Amino acid sequence: MLELRFIREHIDLVRKKTALRRLDPAIIDRFTATDSRRLALLGEVESLKNLRNTVSQEIAELKKTGAHDQAEPLITKMREVSARIRELDNELAEVQTRLNDIVMAIPNLCDDSVPEGDNDSDNIEIRKWGEIPEFTFTPRPHWEIGEELDILDFETSAKLAGARFAILKGFGSRLSRALVNFFLDLHTQKHGYTEILPPFLVNSKTMTGTGQLPKFADDLFRIQGWDLWLIPTAEVPVTNIHSGETLAEDDLPLKYTAYTPCFRSEAGSYGKDTRGLIRQHQFEKVELVKFTTPQTSEQELNALLADAEEVLQLLRLPYRVVQLCGGDLGFSAARTYDIEVWLPGQSAYREISSCSNYHDFQARRMGIRYRPAGEKKSRLVHTLNGSGLAVGRTLLAIMENYQQEDGTVRLPEVLQPYFEKRF
């Protein structure tokens, strides 16, 4: 979140950056009105408390001299003042709660590099990698390939759980497992990340720390009767590992990777990407999380992006990198690059990974700081996150890019070792 004082003192900047996201500026107007009321209440309460203290001393002096008749009207007046203070304190508490809610709903400030734009059609292409495959036949979408090979089963999963779930079978399940191991091996053995296996359920405080709550409650699955939520991404538990801690600057950057299932209700997306594995309620990802200093966070973002790109390069999957415009930027992110993989069966690039720099937005919510060497005062860290990559989307990209005319799917060479017999 943004600091309340920062919002107040830089209200025009916050309004401008909020408009860049194409969000309703009314939230900034509500902040200004509510903050002004809070300051007015604080001033009035402070004034009345000072008056009460002054008059109370006067009453005490009058009682010492025996002038009880003169003290009595002042006592009556102070009862009225005390009652008014209680009223104002109650209103102040309500106003403070409303103000806190407003502050929590104001998104992060866009980085100055973020381009103008309304939606994903306005994102800026940075680069492309790889050759788009040419086929001697008409390439098919992954759901047709998968069902014909009997490695994807949407009908049975619908019976078990409803729409937007999938069963992977045989080669499909093995390919998914191979991808998870390949991702983790690459990121831990070559890129220097520490592997984490976090809880798949977290409490409200943890969800709030990374920005999922309160804004995106409708996109989440909650456990009835418990203060527990199914995680929408491993970013949530992994970034909260150091909540409330002060880290040593010499230990930064900290780099974690984690495989988890992820769960999203996809509220508001009904009718969009309903076929195949693109938009599921349950999916799997291998996540990358970094904690850095402000001075190195942009450098670490570029390195994070390179780590995610290398996965696709090793798999020989063509892709492009785009920078998100203001209207497509996530709530907590200051800057985001998306990696979009080419899907021949759909003749389109589709997002497979997002790499974001949150600056100190999440760290302020979670209270994650670092102490620069030789200094007493601590500072907020910068947090970064990227998926490297979404397992299901990588699987479907392989199915579509490596499909054969006879209906089979060729295995990428880099995954061959994960299919060798071990027993």
Side-chain angles (χ1 to χ4, degrees), residues 4-5 22 50 99 129 184 211-212 235 286 317 346 402 422:
L4 188 149
R5 179 180 293 181
R22 302 301 190 257
N50 288 336
L99 186 62
W129 185 92
L184 290 174
Q212 275 68 32
E235 169 200 348
V286 171
L317 292 173
Q346 300 169 53
Y402 283 82
R422 304 296 176 95

Side-chain angles (χ1 to χ4, degrees), residues 207-380:
M207 281 288 194
T208 302
T210 45
Q212 275 68 32
L213 291 179
K215 185 174 178 61
F216 299 108
D218 290 342
D219 288 322
L220 305 170
F221 288 107
R222 187 170 191 174
I223 307 301
Q224 187 174 2
W226 294 71
D227 180 27
L228 287 173
W229 307 73
L230 292 169
I231 60 170
T233 164
E235 169 200 348
V236 176
V238 175
T239 311
N240 275 275
I241 285 176
H242 294 296
S243 62
E245 295 182 11
T246 298
L247 308 172
E249 183 177 21
D250 290 344
D251 292 335
L252 302 178
L254 290 173
K255 300 163 55 175
Y256 297 122
T257 185
Y259 156 76
T260 66
C262 307
F263 306 89
R264 295 180 188 173
S265 72
E266 298 289 353
S269 63
Y270 300 105
K272 184 178 181 182
D273 296 325
T274 55
R275 299 201 68 181
L277 297 173
I278 291 290
R279 196 178 295 273
Q280 298 275 291
H281 290 314
Q282 176 185 315
F283 55 99
E284 299 171 305
K285 280 200 302 178
V286 171
E287 207 77 15
L288 306 175
V289 173
K290 288 186 177 183
F291 301 84
T292 78
T293 65
Q295 294 77 20
T296 61
S297 67
E298 278 305 300
Q299 173 186 334
E300 292 298 335
L301 175 62
N302 291 330
L304 182 76
L305 179 61
D307 292 341
E309 286 186 70
E310 187 175 1
V311 176
L312 292 178
Q313 292 170 7
L314 291 172
L315 290 169
R316 311 301 297 175
L317 292 173
Y319 66 88
R320 68 174 185 170
V321 176
V322 299
Q323 182 175 4
L324 300 197
C325 68
D328 199 30
L329 200 62
F331 174 80
S332 298
R335 183 180 183 185
T336 296
Y337 292 107
D338 271 4
I339 303 176
E340 299 177 346
V341 69
W342 176 254
L343 299 181
Q346 300 169 53
S347 191
Y349 286 101
R350 301 301 299 268
E351 184 257 318
I352 194 171
S353 175
S354 285
C355 299
S356 299
N357 190 342
Y358 300 113
H359 290 177
D360 60 11
F361 188 82
Q362 292 180 328
R364 183 172 289 106
R365 287 186 175 214
M366 292 180 281
I368 307 176
R369 310 182 73 86
Y370 76 100
R371 195 178 309 282
E375 296 185 18
K376 293 184 178 180
K377 187 177 181 180
S378 62
R379 303 175 188 175
L380 292 168

